[in-house]
Amino acid sequence: MFPSQNACSIATSFLLTGIPGLESLHIWLSIPFGSMYLVAVVGNMIILAVVKVERSLHQPMYLFLCMLAVIDLVLSTSTMPKLLGIFWFDDRNIGLDACLAQMFVIHCFATVESGIFLAMAFDRYVAICDPLRHTTVLTHGTVGCMGLAALLRGVLYISPLPLMIRLRLSHYRTQIIAHSYCEHMAVVTLACGDTKVNNLYGMGIGFLVLILDSLAIAASYVMIFRAVLGLATPEARLKTLGTCGSHICAILVFYIPIAVSSLTHRFGHQVPPHIHILLANFYMLIPPILNPVVYAVRTKQIRERLLRILKAGAQLG
């Protein structure tokens, strides 16, 4: 039961706690988080630069990889500078509109990233199950349209979240958000009034994005594995599956942390708050860090181009 309206107040700003329960360690936590953010930014910028320079990489899989790199830069930058500001300067205040904007960017681009993984699964399906039509089906124009569709879907799905908060929830029991960034449920749980619509919509979007996208990706890989099993030799099967390895690793890196974070938030009531907040922040950093590493290690063209750049730099030095 919600408190009476007299116990609530109109909020024009909020206070972020950072990592609740670990305030005394904030300055030390800034070292790993700052280092991880730097690695994420540098790694994704390198991927973008390598694909831009190497014309042989102007293929659908690598164009989708560039989209992932941009999304990862947006996601990590939407949260980490503010988190580091809390750690270093105790800059916990965030305006209502800035909070809602941060919420929109986080949830929107996480949705877009899921859509790009779905598009990448379609690319792998066509490349393996119908290779003769791959270049005609996955043209640069088609790839661009798929990326735009993923972006528009994210905007369409997520726009109602901050709008419903702005229009329906004006009074709050407290202005202290026990989180390091403005996550949807962290804000809604502070509100006075009926939040059922907000909760149901948030859960519905989570179902549409996580469950349906992952099922569609799984279905594409079932058809891919059936096609691979029909190949004549084990070497051919292994080589064909190798082209999917980076994509599978990136999918696991994306979906496992977000699934763990979501389940912990909704059902892990015995989990200490600082563990949940740490998991949520790692979710913002793990995919941006590991995606460039996975593709750099597993993709021969990217690896060779990076080695040439490093050798050229060493010779200049």
mmCIF file of all heavy atoms in Angstrom, residues 6 34 68 153 180 184 279:
data_model
loop_
_atom_site.group_PDB
_atom_site.id
_atom_site.type_symbol
_atom_site.label_atom_id
_atom_site.label_comp_id
_atom_site.label_asym_id
_atom_site.label_seq_id
_atom_site.Cartn_x
_atom_site.Cartn_y
_atom_site.Cartn_z
ATOM 1 N N ASN A 6 0.334 13.143 1.323
ATOM 2 C CA ASN A 6 1.047 14.121 2.152
ATOM 3 C C ASN A 6 2.499 13.698 2.383
ATOM 4 O O ASN A 6 3.340 14.535 2.681
ATOM 5 C CB ASN A 6 0.340 14.287 3.512
ATOM 6 C CG ASN A 6 -1.027 14.946 3.353
ATOM 7 O OD1 ASN A 6 -1.234 15.710 2.416
ATOM 8 N ND2 ASN A 6 -1.947 14.634 4.263
ATOM 9 N N GLY A 34 36.907 2.909 -14.163
ATOM 10 C CA GLY A 34 37.510 3.852 -15.099
ATOM 11 C C GLY A 34 38.385 3.152 -16.123
ATOM 12 O O GLY A 34 38.357 3.488 -17.313
ATOM 13 N N LEU A 68 27.330 -2.399 -33.709
ATOM 14 C CA LEU A 68 27.485 -2.832 -32.318
ATOM 15 C C LEU A 68 28.475 -1.933 -31.583
ATOM 16 O O LEU A 68 28.255 -1.577 -30.412
ATOM 17 C CB LEU A 68 27.972 -4.275 -32.256
ATOM 18 C CG LEU A 68 26.970 -5.395 -32.504
ATOM 19 C CD1 LEU A 68 27.654 -6.741 -32.297
ATOM 20 C CD2 LEU A 68 25.761 -5.269 -31.596
ATOM 21 N N ARG A 153 12.792 0.501 -33.908
ATOM 22 C CA ARG A 153 12.110 -0.379 -32.963
ATOM 23 C C ARG A 153 12.460 -0.017 -31.525
ATOM 24 O O ARG A 153 11.587 0.028 -30.646
ATOM 25 C CB ARG A 153 12.488 -1.845 -33.235
ATOM 26 C CG ARG A 153 11.699 -2.820 -32.391
ATOM 27 C CD ARG A 153 12.188 -4.244 -32.534
ATOM 28 N NE ARG A 153 13.468 -4.467 -31.882
ATOM 29 C CZ ARG A 153 13.852 -5.649 -31.371
ATOM 30 N NH1 ARG A 153 13.054 -6.706 -31.469
ATOM 31 N NH2 ARG A 153 15.031 -5.783 -30.811
ATOM 32 N N SER A 180 23.205 3.522 -9.434
ATOM 33 C CA SER A 180 24.239 4.418 -9.949
ATOM 34 C C SER A 180 23.811 5.119 -11.227
ATOM 35 O O SER A 180 24.510 6.003 -11.712
ATOM 36 C CB SER A 180 25.526 3.626 -10.213
ATOM 37 O OG SER A 180 25.268 2.581 -11.122
ATOM 38 N N HIS A 184 14.818 2.120 -15.172
ATOM 39 C CA HIS A 184 13.362 2.298 -15.140
ATOM 40 C C HIS A 184 12.746 1.861 -13.815
ATOM 41 O O HIS A 184 12.050 2.642 -13.147
ATOM 42 C CB HIS A 184 12.724 1.519 -16.301
ATOM 43 C CG HIS A 184 11.230 1.553 -16.293
ATOM 44 N ND1 HIS A 184 10.471 0.428 -16.032
ATOM 45 C CD2 HIS A 184 10.357 2.572 -16.505
ATOM 46 C CE1 HIS A 184 9.194 0.745 -16.089
ATOM 47 N NE2 HIS A 184 9.097 2.030 -16.378
ATOM 48 N N LEU A 279 26.383 -5.718 -10.602
ATOM 49 C CA LEU A 279 26.038 -6.508 -11.777
ATOM 50 C C LEU A 279 25.470 -5.632 -12.884
ATOM 51 O O LEU A 279 25.797 -5.805 -14.065
ATOM 52 C CB LEU A 279 25.025 -7.599 -11.398
ATOM 53 C CG LEU A 279 25.546 -8.803 -10.596
ATOM 54 C CD1 LEU A 279 24.396 -9.702 -10.198
ATOM 55 C CD2 LEU A 279 26.569 -9.575 -11.414
#
